[in-house]
Amino acid sequence: MENANILLEKALDFVTYYGPKVLGALLILIIGSWIVKKIMIGTGKILSKTKYDLTLQQFFQNILSWALKIVLILLVVSTLGIDITAFAAIIAAAGLALQGSLSNFAGGVVIMVFKPYKIGDLVEAQGVIGEVSEIDIFNTRLVSPDNKKIIVPNGAMANGNIINYTAEGKIRVDLEVGVSYDSDIKKAKDVLLKVLTDNSKVLKSPAPFVGVSQLADSSVQFVVRPYCKPADYWGVYLAPMKM
């Protein structure tokens, strides 16, 4: 019975000492999260009215969001009575253990500074191809032509080869079309050119090119080289198949 009373007394002391701190920390977390959300919404509205491009806007919002969340966590930890210095030491140690994340953050900064691509660009990197949908502080998100989401670390993107199909505003579509030896070769060439010139997505300059590339065993092979905007690539690519 005496042991039970001692335990009850200790439990009451624990609740009396830590209860207000836990309640205060919980209130700070709830109110702080609401404030952070409002700040991010307000920041988004302000940035949307500036001349900064969408890529930079989103990157800045990511950094601000992380910074505000870290400040909120420190406030909660402080309210709980945990030594901030010791907590900061733990964070620093965790940072050393997460050097890959730091490398990805540095890669994100490099991407923002040198801008090898931006949101909306069609790029090929790290063995994948897709349209850039988001650049946050650690990763770049792509959407592949078959509508799959691809997440690539910024460190790899910043340190690897990148092919940006959008940067120049146009892209060449490389096609090969086989025509039977029994066909009228000149007419086949004229038909291919007409298909391209009638396609509103094919650019007039540079002009589309059609020419014989080789005489294969069972067909005459034509190379077909139209130019188009990156967004129209697949529509132009499939056009000769609809002949």
Side-chain angles (χ1 to χ4, degrees):
M1 187 68 180
E2 184 178 350
N3 289 336
N5 289 333
I6 292 173
L7 288 174
L8 181 59
E9 185 179 343
K10 287 184 177 181
L12 289 172
D13 289 341
F14 181 86
V15 171
T16 302
Y17 181 78
Y18 286 104
K21 293 185 177 183
V22 172
L23 182 59
L26 186 59
L27 286 173
I28 289 175
L29 181 61
I30 294 172
I31 296 172
S33 297
W34 180 82
I35 292 173
V36 168
K37 183 179 179 181
K38 291 296 182 181
I39 290 175
M40 293 309 302
I41 292 173
T43 302
K45 290 180 179 178
I46 292 171
L47 288 175
S48 65
K49 296 177 181 178
T50 66
K51 295 181 180 179
Y52 297 115
D53 62 40
L54 183 60
T55 304
L56 191 58
Q57 289 181 34
Q58 287 193 0
F59 190 78
F60 176 77
Q61 285 180 283
N62 271 286
I63 292 178
L64 180 60
S65 176
W66 276 94
L68 291 173
K69 288 175 182 176
I70 290 173
V71 171
L72 180 58
I73 290 171
L74 290 176
L75 285 173
V76 171
V77 169
S78 177
T79 303
L80 288 171
I82 299 173
D83 185 3
I84 295 295
T85 305
F87 188 75
I90 294 173
I91 295 295
L96 291 175
L98 298 173
Q99 290 184 0
S101 295
L102 295 177
S103 173
N104 291 333
F105 175 76
V109 173
V110 169
I111 291 168
M112 287 299 104
V113 172
F114 293 100
K115 298 182 179 179
Y117 56 84
K118 64 182 184 301
I119 292 175
D121 283 0
L122 179 65
V123 301
E124 181 177 351
Q126 300 300 310
V128 296
I129 183 172
E131 182 178 320
V132 180
S133 62
E134 184 180 351
I135 305 171
D136 63 28
I137 61 177
F138 295 119
N139 303 298
T140 292
R141 288 174 170 78
L142 310 175
V143 178
S144 67
D146 55 351
N147 205 38
K148 294 177 181 177
K149 180 180 285 188
I150 305 169
I151 300 175
V152 186
N154 283 338
M157 292 294 284
N159 294 309
N161 295 327
I162 300 171
I163 301 174
N164 190 327
Y165 294 105
T166 306
E168 298 301 319
K170 56 181 176 289
I171 183 173
R172 192 181 77 181
V173 183
D174 293 344
L175 295 165
E176 285 197 10
V177 178
V179 177
S180 169
Y181 279 106
D182 295 332
S183 302
D184 185 326
I185 303 303
K186 183 180 183 307
K187 184 177 179 181
K189 179 179 179 180
D190 291 341
V191 169
L192 286 169
L193 277 172
K194 187 175 188 309
V195 169
L196 297 178
T197 54
D198 288 349
N199 190 334
S200 60
K201 295 179 180 179
V202 174
L203 299 178
K204 305 302 180 185
S205 179
F209 171 81
V210 176
V212 175
S213 61
Q214 64 172 317
L215 302 177
D217 293 338
S218 59
S219 64
V220 177
Q221 293 297 116
F222 281 92
V223 289
V224 182
R225 300 289 186 264
Y227 282 82
C228 67
K229 294 179 180 179
D232 297 329
Y233 180 87
W234 291 110
V236 174
Y237 182 88
L238 295 173
M241 311 302 175
K242 300 175 182 178
M243 287 171 36

